[in-house]
C-alpha cells in the first residue's frame, strides 16, 4: 500500500472516510471524489504524513469523472486503486416509488461505477491496478422498500465480475465488499424499532463500524489480496451467510 494512489468515491464521510483513513495508516495517498466538502478527510490523511487531494465531482456524471481522474494523474502522478463507495438510498415500496427515485439511485450507485472504472482503466491498463466496489447485503438478499437500491447493489456485483474477467490478464483485479448494517449517517435515519429488529437477527449481536469495511477493502486492495478477483466479501456480522 505504501506510496500508492487510491481514489475513494464518497470519501468525505462515513465508510469512505474510514477507508481513506485506514489506507493512509498503511502508507497510501488518497484522492477523494465527493459532492460534499472533503477537507476533514484530506486533513486527516495529510495529518498522517500522506498526500491527499479533494475533487468536487458528481460520480454519476461521466465527463466530470473523466476530468477528475485526469486531475488525479496530473496532481498525484498515477492511479493504483479505485474504491467505488459513493452511494445513496431513496427507500419506498415499489408501488409508491417515483421514476426519479429509481433513476437517481441507479445513477449514483451503479452508473458511477461504470463512469469511474472506465475512466481509471485507461491508466491502469499500463500499470495494473485494483478496484473494490461497495455493494450491500441488500444487493445479495433483496430488501423490502429498497428495490432501487438492491438492484443497483446487485448490479455492481455483475459489473465487477465482468470487469474481473475482462481485465484479469492486464493485472487489474476487481472485487466487492458487501456490508451489512454499519453505523453511519445512512443508517442513522432508520427508526429505533427497525434497528432493534435488525440487531436480533445479527449473530454477532452488534452493528458494524465503518472501520470493519475499511479493513476488508484494504485486504482486497493490498498484496494480501493479490490472487483474489471477482470475489464478494460479506462483512455483516453473520446477518447473511
Ligand atoms: P454516507 O451517506 O455516510 O456516505 C456516502 C458518501 O457518498 C457521502 O459523502 C456523499 O456525499 C457521497 N455521495 C453521494 N452521492 C454522490 C455523488 N453523486 N457523487 C459523489 N459522491 C456522492 O453513507 P455510508 O453509510 O458511508 O455508505 C457508503 C457506501 O456503503 C454506500 O455505497 C452505501 O450504499 C454502502 N453501504 C452502507 C451500509 C451501511 O449500513 N451504512 C450498508 C451497506 C452498504
Amino acid at each position: 500500500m505504501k506510496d500508492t494512489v487510491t481514489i475513494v468515491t464518497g470519501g468525505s464521510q462515513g465508510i469512505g472516510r474510514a477507508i481513506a483513513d485506514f489506507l493512509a495508516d498503511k502508507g497510501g495517498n488518497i484522492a477523494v471524489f465527493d459532492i460534499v466538502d472533503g477537507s476533514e478527510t484530506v486533513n486527516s490523511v495529510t495529518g498522517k504524513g500522506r498526500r491527499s487531494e479533494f475533487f468536487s465531482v458528481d460520480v454519476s456524471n461521466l465527463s466530470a469523472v473523466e476530468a477528475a481522474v485526469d486531475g488525479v494523474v496530473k496532481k498525484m502522478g498515477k492511479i493504483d486503486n479505485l474504491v467505488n463507495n459513493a452511494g445513496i438510498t431513496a427507500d419506498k415500496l415499489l408501488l409508491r416509488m417515483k421514476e426519479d427515485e429509481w433513476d437517481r439511485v441507479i445513477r449514483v450507485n451503479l452508473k458511477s461505477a461504470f463512469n469511474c472504472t472506465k475512466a481509471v482503466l485507461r491508466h491502469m491498463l499500463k500499470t495494473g491496478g485494483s478496484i473494490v466496489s461497495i455493494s450491500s447485503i441488500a444487493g445479495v438478499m433483496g430488501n423490502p422498500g429498497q428495490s432501487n437500491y438492491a438492484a443497483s447493489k446487485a448490479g455492481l456485483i455483475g459489473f465487477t465480475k465482468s470487469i474481473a474477467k475482462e481485465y484479469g490478464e492486464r493485472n487489474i483485479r476487481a472485487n466487492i465488499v458487501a456490508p451489512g448494517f454499519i453505523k453511519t449517517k445512512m443508517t442513522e435515519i432508520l427508526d429505533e424499532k427497525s434497528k432493534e429488529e435488525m440487531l436480533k437477527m445479527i449473530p454477532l449481536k452488534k452493528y458494524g463500524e465503518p472501520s470493519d469495511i475499511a479493513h476488508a477493502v484494504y485486504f482486497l486492495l493490498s498484496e494480501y489480496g493479490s490472487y483474489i478477483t471477482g470475489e464478494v466479501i460479506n462483512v455483516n456480522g453473520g446477518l447473511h451467510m
Side-chain angles (χ1 to χ4, degrees):
M1 197 50 57
K2 199 167 175 327
D3 296 327
T4 54
V5 173
T6 301
I7 296 172
V8 181
T9 74
S12 294
Q13 65 181 40
I15 291 172
R17 162 91 197 268
I19 293 169
D21 269 336
F22 193 65
L23 296 183
D25 285 339
K26 298 292 180 185
N29 303 310
I30 308 293
V32 177
F33 284 12
D34 209 310
I35 46 173
V36 302
D37 179 41
S39 52
E40 274 189 26
T41 304
V42 167
N43 291 341
S44 170
V45 170
T46 52
K48 296 171 192 288
R50 309 312 311 169
R51 287 194 61 193
S52 186
E53 300 281 347
F54 173 66
F55 296 83
S56 176
V57 53
D58 175 352
V59 290
S60 69
N61 178 329
L62 178 59
S63 53
V65 166
E66 284 173 339
V69 164
D70 288 346
V72 174
V73 175
K74 213 178 255 171
K75 286 189 168 169
M76 305 180 81
K78 59 175 183 162
I79 300 166
D80 299 288
N81 307 307
L82 165 67
V83 182
N84 287 313
N85 163 78
I88 58 169
T89 53
D91 297 353
K92 292 251 171 76
L93 295 175
L94 185 63
L95 277 175
R96 295 197 193 127
M97 191 179 290
K98 304 226 166 56
E99 187 180 5
D100 171 63
E101 288 166 333
W102 173 270
D103 288 343
R104 205 156 26 97
V105 169
I106 299 292
R107 260 199 328 268
V108 175
N109 295 5
L110 181 57
K111 182 167 181 258
S112 61
F114 163 82
N115 292 342
C116 296
T117 305
K118 195 169 159 64
V120 300
L121 270 177
R122 286 185 288 143
H123 302 281
M124 288 184 178
L125 281 176
K126 296 172 215 147
T127 55
S130 184
I131 300 164
V132 172
S133 297
I134 307 300
S135 175
S136 166
I137 190 168
V140 181
M141 290 176 72
N143 200 24
Q146 289 200 310
S147 58
N148 50 357
Y149 182 78
S152 71
K153 295 298 187 180
L156 276 179
I157 296 174
F159 174 75
T160 295
K161 291 185 176 183
S162 304
I163 298 306
K165 288 185 175 178
E166 281 183 28
Y167 300 101
E169 66 182 10
R170 307 300 285 264
N171 196 27
I172 296 170
R173 297 183 297 109
N175 291 290
I176 289 279
V177 172
F181 189 104
I182 309 298
K183 282 191 273 178
T184 68
K185 281 194 178 149
M186 186 176 269
T187 46
E188 219 171 64
I189 52 170
L190 298 175
D191 61 278
E192 285 307 315
K193 193 161 173 286
S194 320
K195 286 188 199 169
E196 275 167 31
E197 288 303 312
M198 182 79 73
L199 198 53
K200 280 188 202 148
M201 294 189 292
I202 302 173
L204 289 181
K205 296 296 170 221
K206 58 179 182 180
Y207 304 125
E209 298 291 337
S211 57
D212 292 318
I213 305 306
H215 299 158
V217 170
Y218 168 69
F219 168 70
L220 287 170
L221 291 181
S222 73
E223 60 277 18
Y224 299 112
S226 62
Y227 199 53
I228 302 176
T229 197
E231 188 55 80
V232 179
I233 297 193
N234 293 295
V235 182
N236 60 31
L239 182 55
H240 173 73
M241 50 179 88

